[in-house]
Amino acid sequence: MMPASYDGQDPEFLMIWVLFHSPKKQISSSEVLDSAEEFSAKVDIEVDSPNPTPVLRSVSLRARAGIARIHAPRDLQTMHFLAKVASSTKQHLPLKNAGNIEVYLDIKVPEQGSHFSVDPKNLFLKPGEEHEVIVSFTPKDPEACEERTLKILVQPFGPQYEVMLKGEVLSSGSKPLSPGPCLDIPSILSNKQFLAWGGVPLGRTQLQKLALRNNSASTTQHLRLLIRGQDQDCFQLQNTFGSEQRLTSNCEIRIHPKEDIIISVLFAPTRLSCMLARLEIKQLGNRSQPGVKFTIPLSGYGGTSNLILEGVKKLSDSYMVTVNGLVPGKESKIVFSVRNTGSRAAFVKAVGFKDSQKKILLDPKVLRIFPDKFVLKERTQEDVTLIYNPSDRGINNKTATELSTVYLFGGDEISRQQYRR
C-alpha cells in the first residue's frame, strides 16, 4: 500500500523495491546442470477504493535462477612468470562459464603496489561461453620476487575463485624454468612450461617429452630430476640404459654448455579423477647455491569418453546416412544413436555443414538436428534426429542429389575440480 501522502507531503514519485528470493537447491560441483529456472509475476497498480476500479498499470516481472560455475584449466591454478626488469611477460588464463546463467566477473589483484596486472578487469559470460584473461608481470626492480592472488568474483555475491601468481626477475635467456627462490644462477631453459596429458584410459600409459638446455656458455650442469606431489606414483621418468628402457621416479643427468637433452615422462592414471604432480629439477655440485630447484607442473586425468554411432553405415573413417525418396518441401526424418562406451561422460555438439572444407554452415531450414548438443554419461546412449527438408531445386530434376556433412564434436566432461580445457 502506498498512501496518498507521505510524512505530510505529496511526493511526485515513490520508489518501490521488488525483492526476488530464488529457491534453495543442493547441487554438487560434478552434477550436470539443467536449464536455468524461469519465474514470472506482475505488479498491478490500482487505486485503493471500496468500489471496483480498473488497474492503472501492470508491471511484468521476470527472474531466472541458476548456478554460477566458472572453470579454468587446473594446470593454471598457479601461474609462474619470469621477466626482465622494466619489461613485461604475459600469460593467458581461459575462463569458461560452466553454469546455466549469465555471470558478471570482477577480476583483480587486490594488493596495492603489485607488479601484476590483469586485462580485462570485468567480464560478462553467457552459459557455455569462454573468454581469455591476460595476466601480465612487469617487475620494476632487479630484486622483485612476488607472490600474489588473482581473485575472480562472480558479482554480486560470489562464488569467488583464486589463482596464485608467482613472478620472478629474469636475468637472461627465454622460457626458463622457474626456480623457487630468486637467485642469480645459470639458466636452465625448457621448451615447455608444464606437461598436461588430458584424459588417458585406465590401464594405459602415455608418454610426453620436453627438452632441457644448459644456457651457460662454459659451465656443465649436474642435475637431479625427481617427481614429487600428491599423485607422484602416476608419473614416471623413462630412461634408456644401453638398449634397455627403465621407469624411475628420479635420475641424475649432466648437460654440457649449450647442450640440449630430451626428458621423457610417462603418465599412467590409476583412477577416474585428476592427478597432479611436479617434476623437480635440482642443481647438484654447486656449493655456493646448493639445493636450487626448478619445477614443471604435471597433470592429467584418468578415463576418457569414447563415442560410436549406431544405426548408420560405417565407412573406413566416417559414417554415412542415405535419405531416399526426397520430396522438395517435405521433411524427411532420420534417427541414429550416439553411444558413449568410455568411462567418462562426454559433451557432444552436432553441427551441419554444406561445405565442410570451406566451413560453410548448412541452412537450418534445410537440416535441423535434435538435440544439437548434450552431455552423454558413460555407458549410455542418446538418440539424435536429423530432419531434412530439401530445397526446390530438385522439383524439375528428380536425379538431383543433396550432399551435406554433420560433424559430431565430442570432448570429456569433467567436474570443476578436474576441469581440462
Side-chain angles (χ1 to χ4, degrees), residues 212-336:
L212 297 181
R213 171 178 294 179
N214 179 3
N215 200 43
S216 173
S218 58
T219 304
T220 296
Q221 298 275 15
H222 184 195
L223 306 175
R224 185 186 182 192
L225 278 60
L226 179 64
I227 293 179
R228 292 185 181 273
Q230 63 185 46
D231 302 302
Q232 62 188 44
D233 294 339
C234 300
F235 302 88
Q236 290 182 300
L237 297 168
Q238 185 182 77
N239 295 318
T240 302
F241 298 90
S243 60
E244 183 182 356
Q245 288 186 340
R246 298 179 185 177
L247 297 176
T248 62
S249 61
N250 63 87
C251 68
E252 293 186 12
I253 61 174
R254 288 183 180 273
I255 311 181
H256 298 290
K258 298 299 181 179
E259 181 186 17
D260 291 354
I261 190 169
I262 301 299
I263 306 299
S264 300
V265 184
L266 191 75
F267 174 52
T270 58
R271 60 190 182 277
L272 295 173
S273 64
C274 184
M275 278 146 273
L276 303 173
R278 62 186 180 275
L279 174 62
E280 292 186 354
I281 303 174
K282 182 179 180 181
Q283 286 192 319
L284 302 177
N286 192 335
R287 294 181 180 180
S288 62
Q289 298 165 342
V292 174
K293 292 180 182 179
F294 304 86
T295 60
I296 296 180
L298 310 175
S299 69
Y301 60 88
T304 59
S305 58
N306 184 54
L307 302 178
I308 62 173
L309 302 188
E310 297 179 344
V312 294
K313 182 179 179 181
K314 191 177 187 311
L315 304 179
S316 59
D317 59 350
S318 61
Y319 296 88
M320 183 177 70
V321 176
T322 301
V323 185
N324 297 317
L326 293 177
V327 178
K330 184 178 180 181
E331 293 181 346
S332 296
K333 184 181 298 184
I334 308 102
V335 180
F336 62 90

Side-chain angles (χ1 to χ4, degrees), residues 17-25 37 39 63-66 157:
W17 289 91
V18 179
L19 302 180
F20 171 73
H21 296 278
S22 61
K24 294 183 178 180
K25 285 189 175 183
E37 292 186 84
F39 298 87
R64 301 178 76 240
F157 304 117

Side-chain angles (χ1 to χ4, degrees), residues 120-185:
K121 294 182 173 60
N122 304 104
L123 192 60
F124 178 81
L125 293 176
K126 297 180 180 179
E129 186 178 3
E130 182 175 324
H131 195 281
E132 286 188 340
V133 172
I134 299 176
V135 184
S136 303
F137 175 61
T138 308
K140 298 180 177 60
D141 61 79
E143 301 299 326
C145 183
E146 185 176 0
E147 292 189 8
R148 300 284 181 171
T149 301
L150 176 68
K151 296 186 177 182
I152 305 167
L153 175 65
V154 179
Q155 293 286 5
F157 304 117
Q160 178 172 292
Y161 302 86
E162 296 183 352
V163 178
M164 292 300 299
L165 307 177
K166 295 184 178 181
E168 300 174 20
V169 174
L170 174 64
S171 57
S172 63
S174 61
K175 288 189 178 178
L177 301 179
S178 176
C182 294
L183 299 174
D184 184 16
I185 57 178

